[in-house]
Amino acid sequence: LMANARAILRRIPLSCAISLRLSRAAVDRERPAQPRLLSCSGQQTPRGTGGLMSNRLVVGAKIIVAIAALLFVGAGQVWAQTRIVAFGDSNTYGQGLPRGADWPSKLEALLKSRGYSVQVVNAGVSGNTTVDALNRVDSAVPAGTDIAIVTFGVNDARRGVPPATIGQNLSDIVTRIKAKGAQVILCGRRAPFPPGYDAEGYRTTIQNLARTSATRGCNLIEGVPPSGFQPDGHENSQGTTIIAENMAKILEPMLKK
């Protein structure tokens, strides 16, 4: 349809126009206006040689149809795009990596290479806790988002925030995102917890919340080997490639080509 519309527009001379002219005599006699057709050369077409169903009207109709097709198909292409927001901390942002090497960027490229119309927005901010996430969730995950991938909690745990508090904050985040009509993938991640921290309680809290409140859950760094991390614990390019591949497997059943 798009190709046919463009072909029609290319074949039509720019000088072609349709005009309705009002006869001065008709106005004087208070009669209904008589339509007159202008040809591409600007010459008036006599009503007795084909009338309003002339080829020139067909040309005009084609112009209208072609423009409508371009607008309709173009709008459809925009509407069909799935908007995914990767909402997280430094591990989402891509700490220590050049732009484009973070896993959200790789995820978008990977899904597009497989024929999906998607936009993956990297809404990661280094150092963010679940409280920070609550404060910016509405701006980071706006209305119109289809899927949000939420990865918070590690920075809280490192600071000794109890698992129950982390769980409540994450629950509020998930609820607010789902209220916008988006699906939520809640991802946990292992981290070096401070001495005496309830690491098992943390993992259990994330898993239970992913199972009961989110659309589904995941282990963000599942399958990432020790060589996939930087010295400070953030993923390197190898690690983000593995994360993008794992996330694509989760997302594909949720997407349409």
Side-chain angles (χ1 to χ4, degrees):
L1 180 60
M2 180 73 82
N4 290 340
R6 287 179 177 141
I8 290 171
L9 288 176
R10 281 197 296 268
R11 291 197 300 267
I12 298 173
L14 294 178
S15 59
C16 289
I18 297 175
S19 175
L20 293 176
R21 287 199 166 180
L22 191 64
S23 167
R24 178 65 183 174
V27 173
D28 292 342
R29 292 192 296 272
E30 296 185 354
R31 295 191 309 181
Q34 299 297 318
R36 296 191 180 187
L37 186 67
L38 291 183
S39 70
C40 293
S41 62
Q43 298 294 323
Q44 289 188 0
T45 302
R47 288 192 297 272
T49 59
L52 294 179
M53 293 305 295
S54 68
N55 287 337
R56 295 177 182 84
L57 275 180
V58 175
V59 169
K62 285 182 177 180
I63 293 174
I64 295 170
V65 171
I67 292 174
L70 288 170
L71 292 173
F72 178 78
V73 175
Q77 289 174 339
V78 173
W79 293 336
Q81 188 178 64
T82 300
R83 179 182 173 88
I84 302 168
V85 174
F87 186 41
D89 49 31
S90 56
N91 297 292
T92 298
Y93 172 76
Q95 185 73 22
L97 296 173
R99 290 297 82 195
D102 53 287
W103 67 258
S105 296
K106 291 182 178 181
L107 175 62
E108 179 179 276
L110 182 58
L111 290 173
K112 285 183 174 179
S113 73
R114 296 179 181 178
Y116 296 99
S117 178
V118 298
Q119 177 192 27
V120 181
V121 177
N122 188 334
V125 175
S126 295
N128 262 196
T129 64
T130 55
V131 173
D132 297 318
L134 274 171
N135 289 334
R136 67 184 183 93
V137 61
D138 291 327
S139 59
V141 189
T145 299
D146 298 295
I147 302 170
I149 305 169
V150 178
T151 56
F152 290 100
V154 169
N155 290 321
D156 299 71
R158 285 175 174 168
R159 299 175 188 182
V161 178
T165 302
I166 296 173
Q168 184 58 58
N169 291 342
L170 285 173
S171 178
D172 291 344
I173 291 167
V174 170
T175 298
R176 285 167 64 173
I177 293 175
K178 289 174 68 176
K180 301 172 187 286
Q183 300 184 76
V184 180
I185 300 172
L186 180 62
C187 298
R189 182 189 188 280
R190 72 173 183 269
F193 299 109
Y197 188 77
D198 184 7
E200 184 59 32
Y202 171 81
R203 285 190 288 269
T204 301
T205 296
I206 301 294
Q207 291 170 358
N208 289 342
L209 186 58
R211 184 174 62 253
T212 59
S213 298
T215 305
R216 66 158 300 163
C218 79
N219 175 4
L220 184 67
I221 55 176
E222 182 177 1
V224 179
S227 60
F229 296 93
Q230 303 175 54
D232 66 356
H234 293 97
E235 297 80 21
N236 58 25
S237 186
Q238 177 193 4
T240 57
T241 296
I242 294 173
I243 292 174
E245 291 171 348
N246 290 340
M247 202 63 70
K249 293 176 184 178
I250 294 173
L251 286 167
E252 285 191 274
M254 303 167 69
L255 302 175
K256 293 181 180 180
K257 289 187 177 180

